[in-house]
Amino acid sequence: MTVDLALDARAQLGECPVWDSRLDRLYWIDIDGQTINRFDPSTGTNDSRALAGRPGSLALTADPGVLLVASEADLGWYEWDAGSFTSWRQLEQPGTGNRLNDGRTDPAGRFWVGSMFERAADGRFTGLLHRVEPSGEFATLREEVGVANGTAFSPDGSTMYWADTLHDTVWAYDYDIDTGEQAKERIFIDFTEMPGRPDGACVDADGGYWIACVYGWAVRRIAPSGEVDMVIDLPVQKPTMPAFGGANLGTLFVTSIGSGGSAPSAPGQSAAGGLFAIQTGHHGIAEPLFGGSPA
C-alpha cells in the first residue's frame, strides 16, 4: 500500500484533518504553529491562516465559510474569508495550563471536545471532557483526563469512541443520539501491548475505527469487534489523526508532528510534520455539521 506525502507541510504539530465535501477541501490545523489550513488535493495548494492562540480542533458548520474552532480555553467562530476568530464560549478557566485538544461533532450536531495539560510529557491528568449543544450550553462529563483524543462515532451513531492518550486506552460507549448520553463504558482498545499510543481517530462507512498510533509509526484499523485488521506503516514516528476525504471519501489523509510537541522525536524524519494520503480500499462517512451558528 502506497503512502504518499500529499503536502510537505513541515507542521510543528499537525492535527485535526476534516474534509468538507461542499468545497472539496481538507481543513487541518498546526497547534503549535497556531494556524488553520485548507488544503486542495487537486492542485496541491495549501491556504494557511494564523490564529492568536493554539487551535486544538475544529468543526464544520452550515455556513461553508465559518468554522467552529476550539482554541486554548475557548470555543469560537472562525470566518475564513475575513480571517477572524470570535470567542463564543469559554469552556475552561484560563491560567490552569490546560488547552482544548481533540474534538468531534456527533450525528445530531453536538460538539464533543476534551482538554489536556499543555505539556503532555509532564504526565498530568488535569484535562476535562465537554459536550457542547448547538445552543452553546455545555456539560463537563469527565475529569482527570490526561490527553483527550480519539473521539468518533459509528456510522449509525449508536456507538461513541473516546481515548485518553496517557491512559493508553480507547473506550466505547452506547450512545443516545437524541440526548447525547453515554452508557455501558467498556475498553475497546488497550494500547499497552501495542506500538505507540492512541491519538486522533475516525470511522469508515463499514464501522472500522482508524486511529493514529503516535510514537508508533502507523495507523491502525480496528474492526467493530475490537480486532486489529489493518496496519499501515508510515515514514513518521508521530502520526496524529486520520480523516477520509477526496473523491467518494476514498482517500485517508493523516497529519503528523514535526518539530512541535513536548517530547523529542526520533532523528532522520524528513517528512515529519507532513500530510499523508493513502488509498486503503475503504471509504469514509461525511463529517456532521455543528448545529449552532454565530447569529
Side-chain angles (χ1 to χ4, degrees):
M1 188 174 297
T2 303
V3 177
D4 295 318
L5 181 60
L7 179 66
D8 189 11
R10 301 181 186 272
Q12 293 182 49
L13 206 172
E15 263 286 6
C16 194
V18 175
W19 181 258
D20 190 336
S21 296
R22 300 166 299 183
L23 303 174
D24 289 334
R25 300 290 188 274
L26 183 81
Y27 288 102
W28 63 278
I29 61 177
D30 184 345
I31 296 176
D32 287 352
Q34 297 184 192
T35 62
I36 299 176
N37 299 268
R38 191 163 74 181
F39 175 63
D40 181 353
S42 67
T43 63
T45 57
N46 186 68
D47 191 1
S48 184
R49 305 293 174 87
L51 268 72
R54 294 167 294 181
S57 52
L58 59 83
L60 307 177
T61 73
D63 184 341
V66 177
L67 301 169
L68 180 72
V69 175
S71 179
E72 301 296 348
D74 292 2
L75 276 182
W77 308 106
Y78 189 82
E79 297 187 33
W80 188 261
D81 289 340
S84 63
F85 176 81
T86 304
S87 181
W88 181 48
R89 291 290 184 273
Q90 184 183 92
L91 300 186
E92 302 198 13
Q93 293 299 315
T96 63
N98 277 6
R99 67 163 177 82
L100 296 174
N101 196 51
D102 182 82
R104 172 80 66 185
T105 306
D106 80 0
R110 304 177 190 87
F111 190 62
W112 286 79
V113 61
S115 62
M116 58 177 283
F117 188 71
E118 58 188 352
R119 282 184 48 83
D122 290 355
R124 296 179 59 174
F125 291 83
T126 60
L128 305 170
L129 179 64
H130 312 282
R131 184 186 65 214
V132 183
E133 302 292 336
S135 65
E137 296 179 4
F138 67 92
T140 301
L141 301 179
R142 192 164 187 141
E143 300 179 347
E144 298 182 353
V145 173
V147 178
N149 261 316
T151 309
F153 296 87
S154 62
D156 65 1
S158 66
T159 303
M160 176 180 176
Y161 302 99
W162 181 79
D164 187 335
T165 304
L166 298 189
H167 275 111
D168 290 304
T169 302
V170 181
W171 291 274
Y173 306 83
D174 290 354
Y175 193 68
D176 188 326
I177 297 175
D178 293 331
T179 65
E181 296 295 327
Q182 307 161 296
K184 297 183 181 178
E185 178 181 280
R186 63 266 189 195
I187 294 176
F188 182 60
I189 314 169
D190 182 348
F191 258 78
T192 56
E193 299 299 324
M194 295 173 64
R197 310 189 84 169
D199 207 313
C202 67
V203 170
D204 64 34
D206 298 314
Y209 180 81
W210 294 80
I211 188 158
C213 304
V214 67
Y215 301 102
W217 303 82
V219 291
R220 284 176 165 76
R221 183 183 190 270
I222 317 297
S225 63
E227 297 179 359
V228 177
D229 63 7
M230 186 177 291
V231 178
I232 301 175
D233 294 325
L234 299 174
V236 290
Q237 181 191 24
K238 298 178 183 178
T240 53
M241 188 172 179
F244 282 95
N248 299 314
L249 299 176
T251 299
L252 188 72
F253 293 99
V254 184
T255 49
S256 66
I257 297 175
S259 60
S262 58
S265 298
Q269 300 179 65
S270 60
L275 174 67
F276 299 91
I278 312 163
Q279 304 302 317
T280 68
H282 291 272
H283 296 267
I285 56 178
E287 190 72 19
L289 306 178
F290 179 65
S293 67

